[in-house]
Amino acid sequence: MDKYFNKVIKYAKKTLSLDKAHTVEMLLTTISGMTTITEVDLEFVNYCNLRCKWCSLDHMQKRSVMTGSLLRKFFDNLLFDRRFRSVKVINLFNGGEILLHPYLESMLNIIKEYKRSFIDKGLIFPKMDFLTNGTVLNAELSGKLVDLDVIDTIRFSVDGGSAEKYEELRKGAKWDVTSKNVRDFIKVNNGKIKTGIICIIESDKPKDTGWMSDEFKDLCSLVGHVELRYPHDWMGDVQVEGYEKVFKNYCKFLFHSLVLLPNGDVAVCCGDLNGKKGVIGNLNEKDMFRIYASRPRREMRYNLLRGRRDKIELCRNCSGYC
């Protein structure tokens, strides 16, 4: 049924005026009882301890830390507005390094509290996906992450394919430290939380681990899943040698995801790491559904489906990366 509604909405935006297409979407939302949002990214902090080669994060921006009250407001929207039962996955990451949040354990306990509330009401709690560079992870923190029983999957950003290339691409990181931290987590975890590695490799390398160093392959063998990616240019904000743009007229992020930034801003795309092009509202000022149904978001989707990419600052130079 959800696929049917999405097809109707997509067709309406291609053939009707903006206002009429919005009316159709809101009518179908009422009928289905749910929005089109399936994933939400929560950024706990907007800063990072590394300076990676292919990252567009602005390290000069004012540092921001998500508060417990903002996190509670977000989960209240999910718990009490049935239209957001469409959300299946919550990603605990965006541009900043989540382990740098000064009250991380307290924030995760808030999530655990809401997980119980969902279960008590007979509702399915979204899957929690955690991403970290692993550089400040330690045995004590690893134990807390496991014991809290909040995270469903934890993935580590470990790039390059060798120790030397890893340290070249992830400036500020040390291979020996990170690899030990990941290994220690694997031991503490004992299979309770699903594990993975996201590895960005140079575009002239094949997407397999055969060419990688033995120590790198050994680390990859310890996790449940390894995803190899080629670098992308973050909507033109980063220069990537040999990167070829292939533009599309549809984007799963713009239609099916939202990003909550530490200051309460809500953006439509995880590619907008600095919240400068795709912000459509602030959760401190409006509820999630009003932001979801806001005119800026409607205009972006409408123009994209009409082939008017040049009218959308966020999408103008983006070719996607998934």
Side-chain angles (χ1 to χ4, degrees):
M1 185 63 73
D2 290 343
K3 291 182 179 179
Y4 169 76
F5 284 135
N6 287 335
K7 287 181 179 179
V8 174
I9 291 169
K10 187 175 179 180
Y11 177 76
K13 284 177 166 48
K14 283 184 175 181
T15 58
L16 303 176
S17 66
L18 174 61
D19 290 336
K20 288 182 179 179
H22 175 65
T23 300
V24 171
E25 180 174 9
M26 291 302 101
L27 177 60
L28 292 177
T29 297
T30 301
I31 295 172
S32 67
M34 291 191 287
T35 69
T36 61
I37 302 300
T38 58
E39 292 193 27
V40 179
D41 298 354
L42 301 183
E43 184 176 60
F44 278 20
V45 300
N46 69 343
Y47 51 89
C48 185
N49 58 330
L50 302 184
R51 301 294 183 268
C52 299
K53 179 177 181 179
W54 293 307
C55 181
S56 67
L57 187 65
D58 181 4
H59 298 286
M60 301 302 292
Q61 66 180 324
K62 182 180 178 181
R63 290 191 169 192
S64 182
V65 176
M66 184 179 290
T67 63
S69 60
L70 178 62
L71 186 62
R72 287 182 180 279
K73 185 167 186 179
F74 166 75
F75 276 105
D76 279 342
N77 275 260
L78 259 62
L79 180 60
F80 297 113
D81 189 338
R82 67 184 304 274
R83 292 169 294 190
F84 284 104
R85 304 280 161 77
S86 57
V87 176
K88 306 302 181 186
V89 178
I90 294 177
N91 300 309
L92 297 178
F93 56 81
N94 192 47
E97 168 52 46
I98 188 170
L99 293 184
L100 298 180
H101 194 287
Y103 307 108
L104 178 61
E105 186 177 359
S106 174
M107 297 288 279
L108 293 178
N109 269 311
I110 290 174
I111 297 177
K112 184 173 184 177
E113 175 188 327
Y114 277 92
K115 182 178 181 179
R116 289 198 199 99
S117 296
F118 269 71
I119 294 173
D120 289 344
K121 289 181 177 293
L123 303 175
I124 298 175
F125 191 67
K127 296 293 183 183
M128 305 300 295
D129 193 351
F130 193 101
L131 179 65
T132 173
N133 61 38
T135 57
V136 297
L137 193 60
N138 55 51
E140 180 183 2
L141 181 53
S142 293
K144 290 180 179 179
L145 293 179
V146 174
D147 293 340
L148 278 168
D149 191 28
V150 169
I151 302 167
D152 294 289
T153 302
I154 184 168
R155 294 184 291 171
F156 303 95
S157 295
V158 188
D159 301 336
S162 69
E164 296 76 20
K165 184 59 69 172
Y166 168 78
E167 293 183 0
E168 176 189 328
L169 297 179
R170 292 198 156 255
K171 295 180 176 63
K174 298 297 182 183
W175 168 259
D176 289 342
V177 174
T178 303
S179 59
K180 180 181 184 302
N181 292 346
V182 174
R183 290 174 185 277
D184 287 347
F185 179 86
I186 299 298
K187 292 178 182 178
V188 172
N189 182 46
N190 196 27
K192 294 178 181 177
I193 299 174
K194 293 179 182 179
T195 57
I197 284 177
I198 294 180
C199 177
I200 299 178
I201 58 176
E202 293 173 309
S203 56
D204 62 345
K205 303 294 185 185
K207 282 188 176 181
D208 62 62
T209 60
W211 56 271
M212 296 181 176
S213 69
D214 289 341
E215 59 185 347
F216 206 97
K217 286 190 288 187
D218 183 59
L219 187 67
C220 289
S221 71
L222 299 178
V223 300
H225 178 72
V226 177
E227 180 182 351
L228 302 180
R229 295 180 180 177
Y230 292 130
H232 63 95
D233 68 351
W234 295 100
M235 302 177 296
D237 291 342
V238 175
Q239 296 299 313
V240 178
E241 185 177 352
Y243 183 72
E244 296 183 7
K245 290 180 177 291
V246 180
F247 294 110
K248 309 166 188 175
N249 287 328
Y250 187 78
C251 174
K252 69 176 184 179
F253 299 117
L254 188 55
F255 286 84
H256 302 296
S257 72
L258 291 173
V259 182
L260 177 60
L261 302 176
N263 65 352
D265 282 345
V266 177
V268 296
C269 179
C270 58
D272 184 22
L273 281 191
N274 304 301
K276 294 181 178 179
K277 301 176 182 179
V279 173
I280 55 172
N282 189 289
L283 191 57
N284 292 309
E285 301 168 358
K286 299 178 182 179
D287 63 45
M288 284 289 289
F289 189 78
R290 288 178 63 195
I291 295 172
Y292 163 81
S294 64
R295 190 173 185 87
R297 180 173 177 271
R298 287 152 46 196
E299 289 179 342
M300 281 188 270
R301 292 175 300 157
Y302 181 80
N303 283 323
L304 185 64
L305 289 176
R306 289 291 180 108
R308 301 169 183 169
R309 177 186 299 276
D310 59 309
K311 294 183 177 295
I312 315 169
E313 183 184 8
L314 173 70
C315 308
R316 190 173 297 143
N317 296 309
C318 181
S319 59
Y321 66 92
C322 288

